[in-house]
Amino acid sequence: MLLRRIAFRKKCRTLGFLIIAMITFVYVTIVSKSLERIKAPSKYFMVFTCNESTSNTHHQPEPSILPTSKIIKEIPRHISNVSEFAYPIMLWNNYLINNPDLCKMNNNILILIVVKTNPLNFERRSIIRDTWSNKAYFFGVIKVLFLMGNAQNETIQENISREFHEYLDILQGDFLDTYKNLTNKGVMGLRWITENCMQAKMIVKVDDDVVLDTYRLLEIVYPIYENKTRYILCNIFMGGKAPIVRDVKHKWYVKDSELKNIGLLDKKIYPPYCSGFTVILATDLIPAMFGIAHVTPFFWVDDVYLHGLLPMKAKRIDYVSLSRNYTFSYKQAMRCFSGKLPCNFLSIGETKLHEMRPLWNMIQTYHSRRIKKNTTRR
Ligand SMILES: *[C@@H]1O[C@H](CO)[C@@H](O)[C@H](O)[C@H]1NC(C)=O
Ligand SMILES: *[C@@H]1O[C@H](CO)[C@@H](O)[C@H](O)[C@H]1NC(C)=O
Ligand SMILES: *[C@@H]1O[C@H](CO)[C@@H](O)[C@H](O)[C@H]1NC(C)=O
Ligand SMILES: *[C@@H]1O[C@H](CO)[C@@H](O)[C@H](O)[C@H]1NC(C)=O
Ligand SMILES: *[C@@H]1O[C@H](CO)[C@@H](O)[C@H](O)[C@H]1NC(C)=O
Ligand SMILES: *[C@@H]1O[C@H](CO)[C@@H](O)[C@H](O)[C@H]1NC(C)=O
Ligand SMILES: *[C@@H]1O[C@H](CO)[C@@H](O)[C@H](O)[C@H]1NC(C)=O
Ligand SMILES: *[C@@H]1O[C@H](CO)[C@@H](O)[C@H](O)[C@H]1NC(C)=O
C-alpha cells in the first residue's frame, strides 16, 4: 500500500507522540471552530495503521531537481519582442500573493495539485481543504495550491489575505480574474512550478468544482508514473472533434484577430487538446511548457492554449486518456462508488457546492471497503 509505504514512513516512531499531541490539541480546542477543519480523519484514516516492518523495507525516492534552466534556455525567447497584448501577461507580471516555500515546507512532497479558482469562491476552497486535499490524510505528500487573479475589490482582497495567512496555499497574480484571463492563470501556474516546485514528482491541475479521488491518485495512479517523464493524462479532444466556434453569441466565440495571433485563422477545428478540468502532467513538462509559452502568442481559450498549443510544441509526449475515469454526473459517481468494486473514477467534475462533501464521504467509504476486501483476501 503506497500510503503505508510513503506517508507513514518515518512517521512510525513519532506516531505515538502525534496521537497524544492530537488528543491534547482536540481537548484544548474543543470549543474553537478550528476543530472543524482538522476534524477526525474518518474511519478510513484508521485503516492505514502503522506497520513498522513495512515501513522499513522501502526507501522514498530522493526528490530530484530537474535542470529547469537548461530546458528553458533551449527554447528561443524573444523577450525583447514580446508585445503585452500578444503574449500571456503572467509570463512577467507580479504575483500579488505568493508562498514560494509551499513545496519546501515539507520534504515529502510527491504530488502538487494546482486548483484554478476564483477569488470569490471561498467556500469551494474551504471544502477542498476539508475533503480531498486534507493535510490530515496525506501528511504532506500531496500539496494544494490555489491559483487566482485579482478581484479588484478591497473587501474581497482583505478576505483573501486573511485566508492566505491562515493556509499559505494561495497564489494570486496581478491580472483581472476573468474568464478571458484564464490562460494567464494557467501560465502563472507553469511559471510558479518552474520557479518553486520542481521537487514534486507529479503535477495535477483541476478546477475548483472537481472532487478528486486522491486515494486513487496516490495509491493506484502515482505508482505507475512515479519514474516516468513526459506524460500527460487527460481527456483528449482529438483533432476534428473540437470545432472553432465562430457564432458571435456563443461563450467560446473567437475573433479573427485572436485566431490570427496563433496562426489558426483559416482552420475549422482546433488542434488536439485536453479538457482542462483534470490534467495530470509529468513535472518535467512544466518548465518546457513555460518556456514554449514565451514563443506562443496569447490565446484566451485556456484549454486550447495550455493543454494544446504548448504541449504540441514540446513533442515526444505520451498521452494517456482519462476518458473512462471521470464523470460530470453526481448520481453516476455516487452509484459507482457505492456499488460493486472496482470504481475507476478519478475525478468528478462540475459538482455543486452541496455535492462535494457527500461525494468525498462516499469515496472514503469506497476505499475502506476496497482495502478491507483486499486485506481479508490475503
Ligand atoms: C505488517 O507487515 C508484515 C510484513 O509486511 C505483515 O506480515 C504483517 O501482517 C503486518 N501487520 C499488520 C498489523 O498489518
Ligand atoms: C517582432 O515580431 C514581429 C511579429 O512577429 C516581427 O514582424 C518583427 O520582425 C519582430 N521584430 C524584431 C526586432 O524581432
Ligand atoms: C466588493 O465586494 C463586496 C462583497 O462582495 C461588495 O459588497 C461590494 O459592493 C464590492 N465593492 C465594489 C467596489 O465592487
Ligand atoms: C470572507 O471570507 C469568509 C470565509 O473565509 C466568507 O464566508 C465570506 O463570505 C467572505 N466575505 C466576502 C465579503 O467575500
Ligand atoms: C486581464 O487582466 C489584465 C490585467 O489585469 C487586464 O488589463 C485585462 O483587461 C484582463 N482581460 C480581460 C479580458 O478581462
Ligand atoms: C521508481 O524508482 C524507485 C527508486 O529507484 C523504485 O524504488 C521504484 O520501485 C520505482 N517504481 C516503479 C514503478 O518502477
Ligand atoms: C481508468 O479506468 C480504467 C478502467 O476503465 C482503469 O484501468 C485505469 O487504471 C483508470 N486510470 C486511472 C488513471 O485512474
Ligand atoms: C487488491 O490488491 C491487489 C494487489 O495488491 C491489486 O492488484 C488490486 O487492484 C487490489 N484490488 C482493489 C479493488 O483495489
Side-chain angles (χ1 to χ4, degrees), residues 250-372:
H250 198 282
K251 185 183 180 188
W252 287 332
Y253 162 72
V254 288
K255 294 184 205 139
D256 278 357
S257 58
E258 293 164 346
L259 285 174
K260 199 168 168 211
N261 210 21
I262 53 167
L264 289 182
L265 185 55
D266 303 321
K267 298 287 190 293
K268 295 262 183 300
I269 53 164
Y270 285 116
Y273 68 95
C274 303
S275 54
F277 73 101
T278 306
V279 182
I280 303 178
L281 307 109
T283 308
D284 68 326
L285 282 179
I286 303 292
M289 285 162 66
F290 178 56
I292 291 166
H294 288 82
V295 292
T296 307
F298 182 80
F299 188 62
W300 66 265
V301 183
D302 61 327
D303 288 354
V304 171
Y305 188 89
L306 298 165
H307 309 301
L309 301 177
L310 298 188
M312 192 167 75
K313 293 189 195 169
K315 308 247 165 62
R316 292 189 292 111
I317 292 178
D318 296 326
Y319 283 95
V320 180
S321 172
L322 284 183
S323 64
R324 297 195 300 183
N325 307 94
Y326 75 90
T327 177
F328 292 128
S329 158
Y330 173 75
K331 272 192 190 157
Q332 192 189 4
M334 290 299 264
R335 251 201 322 268
C336 182
F337 283 111
S338 61
K340 236 181 84 207
L341 299 167
C343 173
N344 290 311
F345 286 146
L346 177 67
S347 165
I348 302 98
E350 296 180 2
T351 62
K352 301 197 173 66
L353 257 184
H354 69 269
E355 294 170 345
M356 294 176 83
R357 286 180 200 275
L359 265 171
W360 175 247
N361 291 340
M362 188 58 85
I363 289 172
Q364 287 187 302
T365 311
Y366 167 81
H367 284 283
S368 12
R369 273 201 297 141
R370 179 175 67 80
I371 285 160
K372 213 175 277 166

Side-chain angles (χ1 to χ4, degrees), residues 120 122 155-156 159 162:
L120 300 176
F122 294 102
T155 321
I156 289 163
N159 223 353
R162 258 203 309 278

Side-chain angles (χ1 to χ4, degrees), residues 88-105:
I89 52 175
M90 277 317 292
L91 287 174
W92 59 83
N93 257 22
N94 291 334
Y95 302 133
L96 299 175
I97 284 183
N98 176 22
N99 169 14
D101 294 332
L102 181 82
C103 297
K104 297 176 198 106
M105 273 158 30

Side-chain angles (χ1 to χ4, degrees), residues 7 20 23 36 85 151-152 156 179 182 188 273 275 302 333 349 360:
I20 292 165
I23 291 168
E36 280 293 300
F85 305 103
Q152 290 195 339
I156 289 163
Y179 190 67
L182 285 176
M188 172 173 78
Y273 68 95
S275 54
D302 61 327
W360 175 247

Side-chain angles (χ1 to χ4, degrees), residues 186-298:
V187 167
M188 172 173 78
L190 297 176
R191 172 173 150 200
W192 188 89
I193 295 165
T194 303
E195 293 166 345
N196 300 300
C197 199
M198 289 306 292
Q199 60 269 59
K201 304 202 79 190
M202 178 185 257
I203 307 295
V204 180
K205 189 203 154 211
V206 294
D207 292 348
D208 67 358
D209 60 358
V210 159
V211 171
L212 200 62
D213 181 350
T214 20
Y215 293 119
R216 179 180 187 83
L217 179 68
L218 191 56
E219 288 183 60
I220 297 169
V221 182
Y222 176 77
I224 300 172
Y225 294 93
E226 66 177 328
N227 299 327
K228 296 200 168 118
T229 57
R230 302 191 80 86
Y231 58 81
I232 298 183
L233 279 61
C234 69
N235 186 36
I236 313 161
F237 297 122
M238 292 316 289
K241 294 210 176 125
I244 296 177
V245 179
R246 306 311 308 273
D247 172 0
V248 187
K249 282 169 283 182
H250 198 282
K251 185 183 180 188
W252 287 332
Y253 162 72
V254 288
K255 294 184 205 139
D256 278 357
S257 58
E258 293 164 346
L259 285 174
K260 199 168 168 211
N261 210 21
I262 53 167
L264 289 182
L265 185 55
D266 303 321
K267 298 287 190 293
K268 295 262 183 300
I269 53 164
Y270 285 116
Y273 68 95
C274 303
S275 54
F277 73 101
T278 306
V279 182
I280 303 178
L281 307 109
T283 308
D284 68 326
L285 282 179
I286 303 292
M289 285 162 66
F290 178 56
I292 291 166
H294 288 82
V295 292
T296 307
F298 182 80

